[in-house]
């Protein structure tokens, strides 16, 4: 519970405890997005590559937002769906992602192409490292920097 924790030091930035996590997530997000782009290039050209990269980075961020909810818990040891507003925002984002990639009008407007079932499976699998990385990183960060972890 956030209200039971002591306040952060006055000079501490809100993101101090998250900088390592943000950096690691950024690197992994970049790598999986580039990988999705290369697979799309090999399978269907630049439009498919762009669509695959767009879908992967979007879904990666939507998975990672659940990890950012609580600096001390991961989605594997908490209820990630207890925030109805966040759930609705993520659901709306997923719907918009599907609209942007599957509806011909939006394909034309956004230069995307429809993805098939195996493409979507790949997109989901490439987005999962966001959750896995945080499940490993959070406990590790507490061991390495207990002083910082005490304030998150």
């Amino acid at each position: 519970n956030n209200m039971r924790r002591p306040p952060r030091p006055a000079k501490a930035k809100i993101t101090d405890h998250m900088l390592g996590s943000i950096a690691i997530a950024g690197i992994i997000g970049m790598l999986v997005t580039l990988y999705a782009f290369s697979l799309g290039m090999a399978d269907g050209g630049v439009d498919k590559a762009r669509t695959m990269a767009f879908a992967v980075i979007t879904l990666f961020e939507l998975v990672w937002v659940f990890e950012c909810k609580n600096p001390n818990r991961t989605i594997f040891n908490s209820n990630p769906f207890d925030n109805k507003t966040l759930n609705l925002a993520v659901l709306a984002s997923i719907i918009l992602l599907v609209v942007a990639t599957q509806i011909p009008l939006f394909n034309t407007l956004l230069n995307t192409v429809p993805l098939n079932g195996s493409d979507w499976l790949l997109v989901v699998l490439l987005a999962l490292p966001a959750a896995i990385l945080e499940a490993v990183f959070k406990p590790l960060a507490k061991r390495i920097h207990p002083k910082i972890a005490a304030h998150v």
Side-chain angles (χ1 to χ4, degrees):
N1 186 333
N2 289 339
M3 298 306 290
R4 293 187 185 154
R5 289 191 311 229
R8 284 187 299 270
K11 294 189 182 210
K13 295 178 183 156
I14 291 174
T15 58
D16 277 353
H17 66 282
M18 295 178 63
L19 290 179
S21 178
I22 291 168
I24 291 171
I27 290 167
I28 290 178
M30 174 194 66
L31 292 174
V32 296
T33 301
L34 289 173
Y35 184 63
F37 187 87
S38 68
L39 292 175
M41 281 297 285
D43 189 39
V46 72
D47 287 338
K48 182 158 187 183
R50 196 174 23 239
T51 304
M52 293 282 292
F54 171 64
V56 166
I57 196 64
T58 301
L59 206 54
F60 184 90
E61 294 296 333
L62 293 175
V63 170
W64 195 56
V65 74
F66 287 104
E67 285 296 345
C68 294
K69 278 180 30 175
N70 186 327
N72 296 312
R73 302 189 73 139
T74 69
I75 63 171
F76 300 113
N77 62 10
S78 67
N79 179 5
F81 304 112
D82 60 354
N83 184 328
K84 290 179 185 174
T85 304
L86 179 63
N87 295 340
L88 288 173
V90 168
L91 180 61
S93 298
I94 291 170
I95 290 168
L96 289 172
L97 174 62
V98 171
V99 166
T101 58
Q102 301 305 117
I103 296 187
L105 171 65
F106 290 96
N107 291 150
T108 302
L109 291 172
L110 301 171
N111 290 323
T112 58
V113 296
L115 299 177
N116 62 36
S118 61
D119 294 334
W120 280 110
L121 178 62
L122 185 62
V123 165
V124 169
L125 291 175
L126 289 173
L128 290 180
I132 296 166
L133 106 98
E134 284 295 315
V136 171
F137 183 75
K138 282 181 184 177
L140 186 62
K142 284 182 184 179
R143 288 190 182 113
I144 294 171
H145 296 291
K147 199 175 205 179
I148 292 173
H151 294 290
V152 293

